[in-house]
Amino acid sequence: MTSNGSGVGVIDKAAMVLSALEAGPASLAELVSLTGLARPTAHRLAVALEFHRIVGRDLQGRFVLGPRLAELSSAAGEDRLLAAAGPVLGQLRDQTGESAQLFRRQGDLRLCVAAAERPVGLRDSVPIGATLSMRAGSAAQVLLAWEEPDRLHTGLRGARFSATMLSGVRRRGWAQSIAERERGVASVSAPVRGPSNRVVAAVSISGPVDRLTRQPGRLHAKAVVDAARALTEALVRG
C-alpha cells in the first residue's frame, strides 16, 4: 500500500465516493468536486455502488449512503457512534441538567439518533427518530457550518441563521440558538467528526430559555464541546 492508496484503483476511487457522501447527499457535480474524479468515472462508480445498495438516492435524486451500509454495520454488531452516545449523552445531561441529543443530517432534515432526557421538570423533549428542520436550531447550524460552499449557500435559503453566524460557529467550534426552532427553547451544539475529519453528527443540549438564559453557550458550551470530542475520539479510535 502507498500513501496515495491501496494500489487497487477502483477500490480507492469507490472509497473516495463513499467518503464524499459521509457528510450528506451530493449531486453528481458535487461528487466530482469533492472527489476530483472525472465526471464519467464518478457517475459509473456511484451507479455501480447504487446497484449493490451501498449508495442510494434521496427525493431530489442526489446520491446518499445506502441501506446496505447499515445492514453491514448491524451484522458486524457495532455502530461505534451510537454505542458511545448513550453514556456520553447521559453524562452531558447530568452535568448540565438539560436534555441531551445526538443529531445526524438526513437530506434536508436532521434526525435525532440518540437522546438522554431530563427526568423531571420543564424540558425540551426530542424523541429518538424525530426529524427536525435544517433551517433552525443550533444543531442545524453545526451540521451546515462546515459544508462545502455550494451546499452551505443552498442550506442558508430560508434559514433562521446567517452566513455570518455560521462563520462564528466555525471560529468558536460550537453553536447556540435562542427561540430559533421553537419559542421559549434554547440550545447549544457542537460537531462530532469522523475519521476523515468531516462533521458527521451534532451533540446538543436544549431546554427553556428561562433556565439556559439568552447566552446558553456561556453556561454549557464547554460541556457540549467535551461531549462531542468524546464521541469524535470513539469514532477515530475505531
Side-chain angles (χ1 to χ4, degrees), residues 1-13:
M1 180 184 297
T2 70
S3 60
N4 295 322
S6 68
V8 183
V10 68
I11 297 296
D12 293 337
K13 291 173 183 176

Side-chain angles (χ1 to χ4, degrees), residues 19-89:
S19 293
L21 296 177
E22 183 181 358
S27 66
L28 178 57
E30 289 169 332
L31 271 185
V32 170
S33 175
L34 290 167
T35 62
L37 296 171
R39 186 181 181 91
T41 301
H43 182 262
R44 184 171 65 252
L45 287 170
V47 170
L49 291 167
E50 183 181 12
F51 177 82
H52 290 287
R53 300 173 61 244
I54 296 171
V55 163
R57 305 272 189 134
D58 67 9
L59 294 176
Q60 286 74 46
R62 298 172 297 183
F63 294 106
V64 297
L65 294 176
R68 183 60 180 150
L69 293 174
E71 294 167 2
L72 291 171
S73 175
S74 176
E78 63 178 7
D79 183 331
R80 289 186 299 277
L81 181 59
L82 294 184
V88 169
L89 292 182

